[in-house]
Amino acid sequence: MADTRRIFVLNGPNINLLGTREPDIYGYDTLDDIAARMDDAAQRESVEIDFRQSNHEGHLVDWLQEANAEGAHAVIINAGALTHTSLALYDAIRAIQVPVIEVHLSNPHAREAYRHKSYVGMAAKGTIAGFGALSYMLALEAALDL
């Protein structure tokens, strides 16, 4: 249907390892588990989710620009460690009109000091962090309210 809102959900480096990578920090839910829950919720709201993951920074930049070019309703992004290092993602978010919501499974501010600075967060409309896989669902709820 042409009037369906589309929300891009972008995931960065190592997010594909959820469920097995440091589950004491990131939980046991896999990325597929999260995607399935988001798809279920999105269907109830007549929203299309475009769920993607890459270990390459340039893909995330390309996808942000694609979301803008295609008139996406919003972008939800978990940039992984690129959150703390990527001026390219900061610039890409600032360059687009689509609202971007940063999401984290853990609370970066309760972790190592180098995780406290977020270039993504400095450009995003808002950040949701620290609620495990629920963080994605809360970000979806926020995106729907935009």
Side-chain angles (χ1 to χ4, degrees):
M1 116 181 21
D3 293 335
T4 300
R5 293 179 289 174
R6 187 171 180 201
I7 297 173
F8 281 61
V9 181
L10 308 180
N11 296 279
N14 298 310
I15 306 300
N16 57 307
L17 300 176
L18 289 181
T20 60
R21 175 184 175 227
E22 299 180 279
D24 53 317
I25 295 172
Y26 302 111
Y28 289 96
D29 287 302
T30 67
L31 196 56
D32 287 341
D33 294 337
I34 293 168
R37 281 199 294 278
M38 290 188 85
D39 278 337
D40 287 346
Q43 284 180 5
R44 289 190 298 275
E45 298 291 334
S46 299
V47 176
E48 178 187 341
I49 297 289
D50 190 332
F51 204 91
R52 304 177 185 190
Q53 188 278 328
S54 178
N55 290 319
H56 304 282
E57 180 180 37
H59 291 163
L60 296 170
V61 170
D62 289 343
W63 294 339
L64 285 162
Q65 293 174 6
E66 180 183 340
N68 191 63
E70 293 187 7
H73 180 73
V75 172
I76 296 168
I77 186 169
N78 181 346
L82 292 173
T83 296
H84 318 292
T85 63
S86 181
L87 289 171
L89 288 176
Y90 170 86
D91 286 345
I93 294 167
R94 299 268 309 180
I96 66 174
Q97 302 302 310
V98 176
V100 175
I101 299 169
E102 177 186 37
V103 66
H104 295 285
L105 296 161
S106 68
N107 179 354
H109 295 287
R111 298 185 59 197
E112 304 89 349
Y114 63 84
R115 295 185 192 275
H116 296 180
K117 184 172 188 172
S118 170
Y119 288 103
V120 170
M122 292 186 320
K125 178 150 185 78
T127 299
I128 298 173
F131 298 99
L134 179 60
S135 293
Y136 281 84
M137 300 306 292
L138 294 169
L140 178 58
E141 186 174 330
L144 291 171
D145 282 346
L146 294 175

